[in-house]
Amino acid sequence: ATALAELFADPAWCAATDALRRLGPHTPPGDRIGAQVRAIVAWLTSVDADTATADDFAAIEAIDLRSGSAKHWGGKEALEEAKSALRTLREAYKAIKEWLAAPDDDLERRAARVTLGLRTLYDLASARYRRDKDERDALDFDDLERRARDLLVSNPAVRARWQAELRAVLVDEFQDTNADQRDIIYALTGLLDGEAGDGRSPELFVVGDGKQSIYRFRGADVSVFRQAADDIERQGGQSTSMQMSFRTHQTLVAWVNQVTEAIFARPGALRSYEFPFEPLNAYRDTAPLKRCVELHITGGGDSADERRAAEAQAIARRIKELCESDEPIVFDGADRNHRWRAPKPDDFAFLFQTSTVFEIYEQALREADIPFLTTAGRGYYGRKEVQDLIHLLRTLDDPADDLALVGVLRAPLFAIDDASIISLRLANPNGAIWDALQAGNNAAAADERSAALDFARVTLRDLHARRARVTVVELLRAALASTGYLATISGLPDGARRRVNVEKLLEAVRLAGSNGLSALSEYLEDLLRAEPREGEAPLEADGSVRLMTIHRSKGLEFPIVVLPDLTRTPNSRTDAWLARRDLGLALKLRDAANEWQPSIAYRLAMDEERRMEQAERERLLYVALTRARDYLILGGATGRMRGDNWFKRIAAALGWSGDADAPTAGSYGALEVFVY
């Protein structure tokens, strides 16, 4: 019912049906497109928008756009309008078709049984986990938050005791809270009891911007913010909208408003996790710039990474060109005369949707001889030089860890070639590679290979023997000294950065204390698995282009923001289950052909998940665009674009409708488009 209501209320559907009704009386006889237009117009008068099933949409299913004569229609324009309207109806129906199909009763029964079984397993696991925590007299973070909430919500005396301690509660970044955190705040300030503002309860002051809620992966729920605003106003509070931007000048603010208004627009009522568009007002004057936004469009390359590399090279060249020019695009507030000046490398900040593509853009900057600093992201523990030393520690802790040992042997620590490593594996196929190495089973290796293996054997044996007598930091420094590792990586591209990353790891190991090699190896293994958002070691930041994720940039500002990889399409979720408060546990199950089939609950949950992810991605784009103080540089590689992406969204907001109507090189007000 919801799908039907949304379909028949969709503005695109309504515009298409209006066009067909207008064209219907004038369609040429004998023309197949004309016949379809008349059939659809007749169908529209008969279909019941409240009770239609999939069978009732046979006329829409039958739409075929492979015919039609412009001559019959008196010109191409009318024919194309008819085809476009028919195509719109067909695509709109396709998007909701699955909701009109009859449910698979057998699948639903199986899903119900499996859900009950999983609940039993969950209860057992949860009870075991609670028991283990009780035995250790320990709480995890969720316990601290939930138990604090339960204590305050269920115990009026505790609430009153803590309310008496407080005069006011201020919560910043409220858009990033969850329901439990909200309840704690309500309990402390009287909103839970409807006593807020009575003069006895503490005052409550919350600050937040729903358009910047981008931490759903941490449990943040923007609907909590919207509900809190309603609750506060209902109990006599005052809502104040702060739309003045002191960061960005009028020209750029106007451009960002134009784009984000279109991106946040919804045909119907907003869902609880969506936030309305609010235009920004600029405190700063209009900039004396011909343009303040650049869009760089590259093509070519068979793979996504090849296309990204081409885009990265184009942007790097542009940065170098701007830095070597005298074009005043940066406002220097620190200058006594408050002048506009040409940019320097440290005016630029790359903001990425994900840190997995950092290296592609780093390489382009390196080739352009532009200094850069990767300040944050899921990058540090994945850096090659860091992984080399983590693998070394794992090997010294557990020589039977073949994977870690192979990583150590192949690293610049020893630079053993693959053929020699394979010879070790073949020499001891049923045992550990360490045993083969220590036995000297390298007879098949050439002289130079044999010498390298001998060096690795002696060095690793000595380090392993010393592991219990020295600290882990001393062990690592001994390894660096004996292998010449720092000298080796210094000769590699970006050697200074690699050395500083190694020193950062040594400092982290030193600060971790003296719990022993085994405990440290386990700790580092956890870090590798979790891929924490850890920044690279700081090199000299002055004079360097900065690279970071958009999440890391929140709350920051930069003279020039580079937003690359606009054509990235988010990965589709393929989870076998989803959990939602309103739906419980929703499952996919395998059918007789071993294919995954979604239950109705799963389809509902996944539909909601996609909508929530889309809403958050729109807010993430808003955060990225509003980090710029003076200038924006956008980049996208357009080859083989599929699915929804920011490039399409921005282009559509600026008036380019699709692939056939892509931006072309030229000036468009504050925007300059470069096509390569």
Side-chain angles (χ1 to χ4, degrees):
T2 302
L4 283 172
E6 289 183 353
L7 176 68
F8 289 111
D10 182 1
W13 174 279
C14 294
T17 56
D18 288 346
L20 293 176
R21 289 190 178 100
R22 176 171 44 80
L23 292 169
H26 310 292
T27 54
D31 184 271
R32 289 186 61 188
I33 294 295
Q36 291 181 73
V37 170
R38 292 191 295 273
I40 294 299
V41 171
W43 175 80
L44 288 169
T45 63
S46 63
V47 66
D48 188 330
D50 296 321
T51 62
T53 66
D55 293 339
D56 294 321
F57 283 82
I60 302 295
E61 290 267 23
I63 290 175
D64 185 348
L65 303 178
R66 294 175 297 178
S67 56
S69 169
K71 182 173 66 176
H72 293 162
W73 284 79
K76 184 177 180 181
E77 184 176 340
L79 174 61
E80 288 304 315
E81 183 182 9
K83 284 187 173 184
S84 176
L86 291 171
R87 183 181 297 108
T88 296
L89 298 191
R90 186 178 65 185
E91 295 304 313
Y93 168 64
K94 188 185 299 183
I96 68 131
K97 180 179 177 180
E98 66 170 325
W99 301 109
L100 305 184
D104 182 336
D105 290 340
D106 177 64
L107 175 68
E108 298 302 325
R109 281 192 293 270
R110 288 171 54 218
R113 288 195 297 269
V114 173
T115 300
L116 292 173
L118 288 172
R119 173 173 177 154
T120 300
L121 287 175
Y122 169 81
D123 288 341
L124 290 170
S126 182
R128 173 63 181 271
Y129 182 48
R130 285 197 302 272
R131 186 168 68 249
D132 287 352
K133 286 186 292 184
D134 290 344
E135 290 174 355
R136 302 181 187 187
D137 196 24
L139 298 174
D140 61 23
F141 178 82
D142 288 338
D143 292 328
L144 296 174
E145 187 172 87
R146 182 61 58 85
R147 291 194 183 194
R149 176 216 177 264
D150 292 346
L151 182 63
L152 288 166
V153 169
S154 63
N155 196 316
V158 174
R159 285 203 300 279
R161 182 252 184 270
W162 283 103
Q163 287 176 11
E165 292 281 328
L166 301 168
R167 290 184 58 193
V169 174
L170 185 152
V171 188
D172 198 9
E173 304 289 358
F174 196 86
Q175 76 278 353
D176 294 327
T177 55
N178 60 38
D180 287 337
Q181 293 162 351
R182 173 203 58 200
D183 290 347
I184 291 171
I185 295 163
Y186 277 20
L188 291 173
T189 56
L191 263 77
L192 192 68
D193 304 306
E195 298 172 352
D198 61 1
R200 296 187 302 273
S201 300
E203 300 286 347
L204 173 61
F205 181 55
V206 302
V207 181
D209 181 0
K211 300 187 299 301
Q212 297 192 54
S213 179
I214 59 172
Y215 291 108
R216 195 162 70 94
F217 64 89
R218 294 181 185 170
D221 184 354
V222 72
S223 63
V224 168
F225 179 49
R226 292 191 61 186
Q227 183 62 51
D230 292 341
D231 292 343
I232 291 171
E233 288 190 66
R234 190 166 52 251
Q235 296 199 37
Q238 179 180 351
S239 175
T240 301
S241 180
M242 300 175 65
Q243 297 169 238
M244 181 65 69
S245 170
F246 292 87
R247 171 182 302 150
T248 311
H249 56 78
Q250 289 183 10
T251 310
L252 185 51
V253 163
W255 189 89
V256 170
N257 281 340
Q258 179 186 356
V259 170
T260 54
E261 181 178 16
I263 288 172
F264 280 105
R266 292 291 185 273
L270 294 177
R271 291 175 167 81
S272 63
Y273 48 80
E274 296 172 334
F275 213 80
F277 168 75
E278 294 175 322
L280 291 171
N281 300 316
Y283 179 80
R284 292 173 58 192
D285 294 334
T286 301
L289 305 175
K290 296 179 182 178
R291 59 171 178 266
C292 58
V293 185
E294 296 182 5
L295 174 59
H296 295 260
I297 305 173
T298 54
D302 294 328
S303 71
D305 280 350
E306 288 176 342
R307 293 190 289 274
R308 288 188 184 103
E311 175 207 317
Q313 290 162 7
I315 293 177
R317 288 194 300 269
R318 180 58 176 159
I319 290 174
K320 195 169 188 66
E321 178 181 310
L322 286 170
C323 289
E324 293 175 349
S325 74
D326 57 359
E327 189 170 356
I329 62 173
V330 172
F331 181 74
D332 195 342
D335 182 86
R336 181 178 302 173
N337 298 314
H338 299 288
R339 294 178 300 183
W340 288 80
R341 60 168 173 79
K344 302 176 295 184
D346 53 9
D347 292 320
F348 295 84
F350 279 74
L351 306 185
F352 292 87
Q353 300 175 56
T354 173
S355 62
T356 57
V357 297
F358 276 179
E359 291 191 8
I360 295 174
Y361 294 85
E362 289 172 343
Q363 181 62 28
L365 293 170
R366 190 178 295 118
E367 291 174 355
D369 198 27
I370 298 172
F372 62 87
L373 173 66
T374 305
T375 58
R378 292 189 177 188
Y380 177 71
Y381 289 99
R383 292 292 176 180
K384 185 67 173 63
E385 58 275 10
V386 177
Q387 285 201 333
D388 288 346
L389 299 185
I390 291 176
H391 288 155
L392 175 63
L393 293 178
R394 288 170 54 189
T395 297
L396 298 178
D397 177 51
D398 179 13
D401 187 338
D402 284 346
L403 186 61
L405 178 56
V406 168
V408 169
L409 295 176
R410 294 182 81 250
L413 288 159
F414 301 107
I416 305 297
D417 62 273
D418 289 345
S420 298
I421 294 174
I422 291 172
S423 72
L424 292 174
R425 173 77 284 167
L426 295 177
N428 190 18
N430 298 317
I433 294 177
W434 174 275
D435 295 336
L437 177 66
Q438 294 304 321
N441 293 332
N442 55 355
D447 290 343
E448 62 273 15
R449 292 179 179 174
S450 179
L453 286 169
D454 287 341
F455 174 69
R457 178 176 66 253
V458 172
T459 303
L460 290 172
R461 183 184 62 206
D462 291 347
L463 291 170
H464 184 256
R466 298 172 61 185
R467 74 191 189 284
R469 303 196 303 270
V470 299
T471 66
V472 179
V473 171
E474 290 172 331
L475 195 65
L476 282 175
R477 291 204 179 277
L480 295 175
S482 60
T483 61
Y485 183 75
L486 287 177
T488 302
I489 63 173
S490 295
L492 297 175
D494 207 20
R497 190 179 311 279
R498 294 173 187 268
R499 287 198 314 276
V500 175
N501 280 337
V502 169
E503 290 296 335
K504 176 179 177 177
L505 181 65
L506 293 174
E507 179 63 12
V509 170
R510 186 186 68 79
L511 292 174
S514 56
N515 292 327
L517 183 57
S518 181
L520 181 63
S521 295
E522 183 177 345
Y523 168 69
L524 292 173
E525 180 68 16
D526 288 341
L527 289 178
L528 282 171
R529 274 197 302 266
E531 287 190 299
R533 285 173 169 76
E534 175 65 64
E536 274 199 276
L539 202 56
E540 191 60 41
D542 291 343
S544 298
V545 173
R546 282 164 287 187
L547 292 85
M548 65 182 68
T549 61
I550 299 170
H551 285 94
R552 176 64 180 82
S553 75
K554 189 167 177 288
L556 304 178
E557 64 178 58
F558 311 95
I560 304 173
V561 163
V562 181
L563 188 55
D565 202 18
L566 289 177
T567 46
R568 165 178 289 276
T569 301
N571 294 328
S572 299
R573 295 196 61 166
T574 57
D575 314 61
W577 60 272
L578 291 169
R580 289 289 177 273
R581 291 184 185 275
D582 54 341
L583 294 167
L585 185 62
L587 305 176
K588 286 195 299 187
L589 297 177
R590 292 191 181 275
D591 60 15
N594 205 35
E595 297 291 334
W596 287 105
Q597 299 296 338
S599 64
I600 288 179
Y602 184 91
R603 284 159 51 191
L604 288 166
M606 181 56 77
D607 182 67
E608 193 79 346
E609 175 68 20
R610 291 193 187 105
R611 292 173 187 262
M612 293 174 75
E613 285 190 354
Q614 176 182 323
E616 185 166 65
R617 279 184 54 76
E618 292 167 355
R619 297 193 294 268
L620 189 66
L621 175 57
Y622 175 84
V623 169
L625 293 175
T626 54
R627 298 310 93 195
R629 202 174 71 203
D630 300 318
Y631 208 80
L632 263 174
I633 296 178
L634 311 175
T638 59
R640 300 183 184 177
M641 278 198 300
R642 294 187 178 91
D644 184 33
N645 60 59
W646 287 353
F647 181 92
K648 288 183 178 179
R649 289 296 193 91
I650 291 173
L654 296 174
W656 288 287
S657 58
D659 294 339
D661 183 27
T664 55
S667 298
Y668 304 87
L671 172 70
E672 181 84 13
V673 177
F674 299 78
V675 179
Y676 302 89

